[in-house]
Amino acid sequence: MQRYLSRVVDLLDPSLNTFSNVDLDEARRRVLSGDPDAVRGIDGSFALVASEGVTVRMARSMDRPLRYFLAKRHEGPALYVADRIDTLHQALAADGLAAQFHPSYTRMVPAHYVVDLALVGCPDPEPIYTRFFTPKRESLPNDLDEIGRRYVGALADEVTKWLTQIDGGGSTTEPIGVAFSGGIDSGSVFLVTYHTMLRLGMSPTRLKAFVLNVASGDDVQGSGGGPDVEQARAFLSTVGLSLFLEEIAASPDDLDVCDTVRVLEDYKTLDVECATMGLRLCRGIRERYPEWRHMADGDGGDENLKDYPIEENSELTIRSVVDNLMLYQEGWGVGRIKHSLTYSGGLSRSYVRTYAPARRYGFAGFSPFTRPGVMEVAEGIPFAALTQYDVPTLYLLKGEIVRRGVKAVTGLDMPIFPKRRFQHGAMPADAMRARIGDSEASYRRTFHAIYG
């Protein structure tokens, strides 16, 4: 009988994991156990692989991409694990296995699942998926004040843990940035961060709200670019915190969609648009502040409170959005026909639009909306009862919940502006698409040409 020697190549950066209740070794032991309750008990941001014999298990939080590639060798199978497709390709090439590679053969570990593989040679093993995070749906009362208090209270708990970890018990005074537009999500993150810093005795002078303004010609230094800059000014003026705003001016000529696709490693139009603006914001901050590290944002807030234009997606109805567990966070779900093995689904796939630009420019990113404690409250909201499946009512719900919650937690009256995507606020949408295009097919060709 042929005996195979399996190999696991862990290319993840362990320093990117952050835990509040375990260390790295304990977190890996929990993943290796395959016990979903033990993995759910890991509090933090993580992408982990652990192995014993031929058994390999992997798990990740929503905010950390985790990919793998199973290569065949004469000695036995080799599993390569990384956060990026190009990292997998480079490692395979270094080991003389590049001929086996194609980006579509890579796999993404879906958020909130332990993925179990047995490295037993040919044929390729079928992964086993075990969900470790299953929030209870519609568990909260039909009381917007109570819902808001709990939702923003959970957000504040995550911000508190984040700030405490950064300070390391008071030993550092590193600056804190928030990617800011004046919208509901970035606005609530900023106000809760400001309030929490005061409560913890931290100097708020460490805090800045960065808004991106992409404009042409003489407009770069004025207000002729994206609408977010005026919205950001109005938001902070309303709450008396204008001194924290810092504007990052840019030109359309700075936008390079080929570079975006290379960094993003994906081709969905809205994600390409978002990542293009994210890269320009991160670049602008980095050029101005070479040592800055910590950046918070509001990614995931729309998904939590189901605030996307349903009419823009022909696959969706309000019933599918309201009645499916974490549809926007996870897509149609593991094991479903529309679940992509290469890319996972929902925010589990698209969070790379935030993660990759931050990593490109050396930032440690953070969004409290991606943490299970916040998502658990969001899934407990009785959306069906509150909306009666009325689409306009659903769209109004998010602002009401967050406004009431911010008031309850911080005492501040947060202004609410109409929804607008980050990329469409940094630069007028028509001008942006004239610059970078809007064809998913074109973006897909650009991505595959990298490995052509």
Side-chain angles (χ1 to χ4, degrees), residues 89-245:
H89 179 242
Q90 292 159 15
L92 288 161
D95 288 347
L97 300 170
Q100 298 185 31
F101 176 85
H102 190 276
S104 66
Y105 298 163
T106 65
R107 296 291 180 258
M108 176 179 272
V109 173
H112 306 149
Y113 285 83
V114 177
V115 176
D116 192 322
L117 282 176
L119 301 186
V120 293
C122 292
D124 289 345
E126 186 75 17
I128 299 171
Y129 299 95
T130 303
R131 176 180 279 281
F132 66 81
F133 174 52
T134 311
K136 185 177 180 181
R137 302 189 69 244
E138 300 189 337
S139 59
L140 298 181
N142 296 4
D143 181 337
L144 292 182
D145 286 324
E146 179 64 10
I147 291 170
R149 185 187 65 78
R150 292 198 196 184
Y151 184 65
V152 178
L155 185 155
D157 290 343
E158 298 300 333
V159 169
T160 299
K161 286 185 280 189
W162 176 61
L163 291 172
T164 302
Q165 287 171 345
I166 289 172
D167 264 29
S171 61
T172 67
T173 56
E174 291 189 73
I176 306 295
V178 175
F180 187 75
S181 68
I184 294 171
D185 297 321
S186 67
S188 59
V189 169
F190 176 81
L191 292 180
V192 169
T193 299
Y194 169 76
H195 171 79
T196 303
M197 291 180 75
L198 292 177
R199 184 174 58 80
L200 295 176
M202 300 177 180
S203 172
T205 59
R206 297 164 56 184
L207 180 63
K208 285 187 184 295
F210 293 103
V211 62
L212 177 64
N213 186 29
V214 182
S216 302
D218 295 337
D219 289 336
V220 172
Q221 299 300 330
S223 59
D228 273 358
V229 67
E230 289 299 331
Q231 178 175 281
R233 291 169 183 167
F235 182 106
L236 291 176
S237 175
T238 298
V239 293
L241 300 174
S242 296
L243 73 161
F244 292 99
L245 185 63

Side-chain angles (χ1 to χ4, degrees), residues 343-361:
Y343 284 109
S344 185
L347 187 64
S348 174
R349 169 182 185 159
S350 63
Y351 195 79
V352 178
R353 68 197 177 196
T354 298
Y355 173 87
R359 292 289 300 142
R360 170 73 172 273
Y361 286 101

Side-chain angles (χ1 to χ4, degrees), residues 199-355:
R199 184 174 58 80
L200 295 176
M202 300 177 180
S203 172
T205 59
R206 297 164 56 184
L207 180 63
K208 285 187 184 295
F210 293 103
V211 62
L212 177 64
N213 186 29
V214 182
S216 302
D218 295 337
D219 289 336
V220 172
Q221 299 300 330
S223 59
D228 273 358
V229 67
E230 289 299 331
Q231 178 175 281
R233 291 169 183 167
F235 182 106
L236 291 176
S237 175
T238 298
V239 293
L241 300 174
S242 296
L243 73 161
F244 292 99
L245 185 63
E246 185 147 344
E247 299 171 21
I248 302 296
S251 163
D253 294 339
D254 298 334
L255 308 179
D256 183 344
V257 73
C258 292
D259 185 53
T260 298
V261 172
R262 183 180 293 275
V263 172
L264 182 65
E265 302 187 313
D266 204 344
Y267 41 77
K268 291 292 186 181
T269 300
L270 291 172
D271 293 332
V272 172
E273 292 177 354
C274 182
T276 298
M277 297 304 171
L279 281 165
R280 188 59 188 91
L281 176 63
C282 289
R283 173 186 156 190
I285 299 170
R286 177 58 67 226
E287 289 172 347
R288 194 173 298 180
Y289 299 105
E291 304 301 321
W292 202 293
R293 280 205 315 141
H294 299 289
M295 286 291 299
D297 62 77
D299 205 0
D302 283 333
E303 287 79 0
N304 287 353
L305 296 185
K306 308 184 189 302
D307 189 31
Y308 278 118
I310 295 172
E311 60 275 6
E312 291 184 5
N313 188 331
S314 60
E315 296 182 340
L316 297 180
T317 67
I318 188 169
R319 288 188 175 273
S320 63
V321 170
V322 169
D323 291 344
N324 282 279
L325 176 71
M326 292 190 288
L327 178 66
Y328 283 140
Q329 291 95 333
E330 298 181 355
W332 293 104
V334 169
R336 306 295 178 87
I337 289 175
K338 294 180 181 179
H339 176 73
S340 168
L341 296 176
T342 305
Y343 284 109
S344 185
L347 187 64
S348 174
R349 169 182 185 159
S350 63
Y351 195 79
V352 178
R353 68 197 177 196
T354 298
Y355 173 87

